[in-house]
Amino acid sequence: MSFEEPKLPKVIVALDYQNENDALEMAKTLSPDMCNLKVGLELFINCGPSIIQKLHNLKYKIFLDLKLHDINNTVAKSISAIGKLGVWMTNIHAGGGTSMMIDAAEELRKNRYDTMLLGVTVLTSLNNQKYKEIGFLSEISEQVLHMASMCYKSKLNGVVCSAKEAKLIKDNMPSDFICVCPGIRIKDSLNDDQERIMTPKEAAESGADYIVVGRPITQSNDPLSFLKIIKDEFENNFDK
């Protein structure tokens, strides 16, 4: 079952901040009609679960990006706690294996939480050299597709992947199995710590369902205007 909402904004803005005031100020600068928000480890560790409720009060849907990867019981119980927060989506590492993912997905269903659960494939900060350093022998694209297949068999709602692999996943998975793609940069912007990047237009053409964008928006001199540029570029090429 998919919880995707067709009219939901397709851009997720990453609130990569260390304190609540900066995060809430940016949320108030932006608009829930134009984007959803991502809360990652940095903000969640600094502020705790209360930041989720405060962003919900501003009418945003939240992607809680904690990339859980642990033994089955720990992940399942953590997912249960996340479900209670009422977030729109969250994620776990596909590298934890199908048993871990199945138990986590079952925990959400058992408690009737409508939080979407995604599997993290290969981080967008990894290029081929860094990927091979870990010990993987296959090509990144092959590994991402393999992990996406594991996520689908585990009854997850989709994956977090580079837009570079989105088309491959879309060609091999059902249409309601979603791809959430970070590593999005506008032309001529810095890659910073991202390696496998694409523009919003390229991501849309590759089949990304949602894109995650942080610094190109939040560190710009006019975040709302940059959000509109990225949103228009992505959604004008989005034909789903």
Side-chain angles (χ1 to χ4, degrees):
M1 178 178 180
S2 171
F3 297 104
E4 182 183 1
E5 300 178 45
K7 295 184 179 179
L8 207 61
K10 300 297 182 182
V11 178
I12 304 169
V13 177
L15 295 180
D16 295 325
Y17 296 103
Q18 293 187 348
N19 66 80
E20 178 182 293
N21 289 340
D22 287 345
L24 293 177
E25 183 179 347
M26 180 55 63
K28 291 172 183 176
T29 299
L30 303 173
S31 166
D33 294 328
M34 294 182 65
C35 68
N36 313 296
L37 298 177
K38 180 175 83 74
V39 172
L41 281 168
E42 181 181 10
L43 185 60
F44 194 75
I45 289 172
N46 277 288
C47 300
S50 65
I51 189 63
I52 302 298
Q53 185 58 55
K54 291 175 181 178
L55 293 170
H56 278 162
N57 290 343
L58 296 174
K59 309 302 182 185
Y60 282 101
K61 288 192 176 291
I62 306 301
F63 170 25
L64 184 55
D65 177 25
L66 301 183
K67 301 181 180 73
L68 300 179
H69 188 173
D70 212 310
I71 62 172
N72 292 27
N73 186 66
T74 297
V75 170
K77 296 306 180 187
S78 298
I79 284 294
S80 182
I82 289 171
K84 290 177 185 177
L85 297 176
V87 298
W88 168 50
M89 65 169 64
T90 191
N91 56 11
I92 58 182
H93 262 292
T98 54
S99 175
M100 183 198 80
M101 292 192 286
I102 288 169
D103 286 355
E106 178 58 30
E107 189 71 21
L108 289 175
R109 282 191 292 273
K110 181 178 68 177
N111 290 287
R112 298 185 179 180
Y113 297 131
D114 62 358
T115 298
M116 284 197 293
L117 184 60
L118 309 177
V120 178
T121 55
V122 176
L123 298 177
T124 51
S125 58
L126 296 178
N127 57 21
N128 279 313
Q129 180 181 353
K130 295 174 182 176
Y131 170 78
K132 294 292 176 66
E133 181 184 40
I134 298 171
F136 288 107
L137 300 178
S138 61
E139 294 299 315
I140 288 180
S141 59
E142 294 175 5
Q143 182 65 26
V144 169
L145 182 58
H146 175 68
M147 297 177 94
S149 178
M150 290 170 56
C151 293
Y152 177 70
K153 291 174 182 176
S154 302
K155 299 185 178 180
L156 272 57
N157 299 100
V159 293
V160 180
C161 65
S162 166
K164 287 182 177 291
E165 289 95 42
K167 185 178 187 306
L168 181 64
I169 292 170
K170 287 295 181 180
D171 286 346
N172 287 275
M173 298 289 159
S175 59
D176 62 350
F177 188 73
I178 69 170
C179 292
V180 175
C181 300
I184 304 299
R185 295 292 181 264
I186 56 176
K187 285 189 179 298
D188 303 322
S189 67
L190 294 176
N191 296 4
D192 40 70
D193 56 358
Q194 299 285 8
E195 294 284 356
R196 298 184 348 273
I197 63 172
M198 275 191 160
T199 66
K201 180 177 185 292
E202 290 169 337
E205 292 172 344
S206 295
D209 294 280
Y210 297 93
I211 54 173
V212 181
V213 188
R215 284 160 284 190
I217 292 173
T218 59
Q219 293 185 7
S220 71
N221 55 8
D222 189 346
L224 190 60
S225 292
F226 270 80
L227 168 58
K228 186 177 187 307
I229 290 169
I230 289 170
K231 180 178 184 293
D232 288 348
E233 183 180 330
F234 182 66
E235 295 186 356
N236 286 345
N237 291 280
F238 188 88
D239 60 0
K240 295 181 178 60

